[in-house]
Amino acid sequence: MRILIRTSKWAILARRLGSLAIPLIVFAVLLHRGQLIASNIFAVAAAMAATVAALAVLVGLLALARLWSTGDQGWGLAIAGVLMGLACLAPVAWFASLALHFPPATDIATTDRSLLPLVLEPDTALMPPAQTLPPAQLEAVFPNVKTRSYPLDAQQAYEIVLRMVTEHGWDIGLERAPATPAGTGLIDARIVTLAGWREEAVLRVAGTAEGASVDMRSASINAWHDFGSNGSRIEAFLVALDTEVTTLLRDNPNANQPVDTDPAATTSPLEAAPAS
């Protein structure tokens, strides 16, 4: 007589829940990145996917416990459900850890925000209010978010900043180069995060008596928490800019010398020599 070993219904349910959680989170991210759903809808969809994933893990663990005691089939199904659930919960846990590490903020800047307008910003009536950090807290969390000063004129510094923004692959919406070596330039760019949130970076290059200063602002659009992305972006960009300028001045010691526009300075020695 053949004895039939049944497959655990709990294991089947765990596998089904895990199979449902993965497309839920993947489709939500894809739709959010493509701007087909708003950020608030994405947050709801992500919460639903996380709930289904948590159920998959819970049911899968319960199925494994029952399989151990009953001898039923379904070990593979239960393990698959747990693994898929954990895979969906991993990014949730990551963002939760970032939320605990970084204070809630959506707008970080090195200087007065009126000097760094968000020109690509949508209708502010549809947005949550921007959350900023007090100076003392900003200094403690992001110590490198500070105005940079370089012994270069504004046009030279602007060229370096523009090249770096382009290399980062940010979507530039505004390029306003300094009209003179002592002028002011502005760059505005949009960034899409991996999860699809929109963030905007503004860089200002201004001529000073000593050379040029560079300020930066990074802000999340339609978000309640940036999980540290804006402050981290500014720090990473400005530290990289420090390296770029240091390398330039090391390899080109005269790069910070002003250009002499005096016509006499461009005259060749032969032309300047008096006639005999």
Side-chain angles (χ1 to χ4, degrees):
M1 179 179 177
R2 184 179 180 184
I3 300 176
L4 297 177
I5 302 176
R6 65 178 182 178
T7 300
S8 170
K9 294 181 179 180
W10 289 99
I12 296 173
L13 179 59
R15 175 67 172 79
R16 289 176 177 174
L17 288 172
S19 300
L20 177 61
I22 288 181
L24 274 178
I25 191 64
V26 170
F27 288 145
V29 170
L30 292 177
L31 292 174
H32 193 216
R33 286 183 60 86
Q35 293 186 291
L36 298 177
I37 59 174
S39 294
N40 57 344
I41 297 177
F42 168 71
V44 173
M48 291 177 57
T51 301
V52 173
L55 287 174
V57 174
L58 181 62
V59 173
L61 293 176
L62 180 60
L64 291 173
R66 290 178 62 84
L67 290 172
W68 181 265
S69 61
T70 63
D72 290 344
Q73 292 183 343
W75 287 89
L77 295 175
I79 293 173
V82 171
L83 292 179
M84 287 188 289
L86 291 175
C88 290
L89 289 176
V92 176
W94 169 249
F95 280 110
S97 68
L98 292 177
L100 293 175
H101 180 71
F102 293 104
T106 58
D107 194 340
I108 304 295
T110 61
T111 190
D112 187 351
R113 288 169 176 77
S114 64
L115 300 175
L116 301 163
L118 301 176
V119 300
L120 298 181
E121 185 178 11
D123 185 2
T124 54
L126 302 177
M127 296 175 55
Q131 299 187 64
T132 60
L133 296 178
Q137 190 176 21
L138 179 63
E139 170 71 22
V141 180
F142 301 111
N144 286 312
V145 175
K146 297 181 182 296
T147 300
R148 295 306 201 265
S149 297
Y150 301 114
L152 300 172
D153 66 47
Q155 291 176 327
Q156 291 173 316
Y158 180 88
E159 290 178 0
I160 298 174
V161 170
L162 179 60
R163 174 174 56 80
M164 290 181 59
V165 170
T166 303
E167 290 174 351
H168 276 71
W170 298 345
D171 183 16
I172 299 176
L174 172 68
E175 294 181 36
R176 191 168 67 208
T180 65
T184 300
L186 200 67
I187 300 172
D188 191 287
R190 181 68 59 88
I191 301 103
V192 180
T193 68
L194 182 62
W197 281 293
R198 265 64 184 170
E199 296 179 341
E200 187 172 345
V202 186
L203 293 113
R204 181 177 184 267
V205 181
T208 65
E210 295 77 22
S213 65
V214 178
D215 282 292
M216 184 172 179
R217 177 184 182 186
S218 185
S220 299
I221 306 300
N222 197 22
W224 293 98
H225 201 309
D226 66 359
F227 304 101
S229 65
N230 289 302
S232 300
R233 177 178 299 111
I234 294 176
E235 283 196 317
F237 188 92
L238 293 181
V239 169
L241 180 59
D242 291 341
T243 302
E244 288 285 335
V245 174
T246 300
T247 302
L248 172 67
L249 295 177
R250 182 197 64 194
D251 298 340
N252 302 275
N254 296 323
N256 60 341
Q257 298 300 315
V259 178
D260 193 344
T261 57
D262 184 358
T266 60
T267 305
S268 68
L270 182 61
E271 294 173 332
S276 57

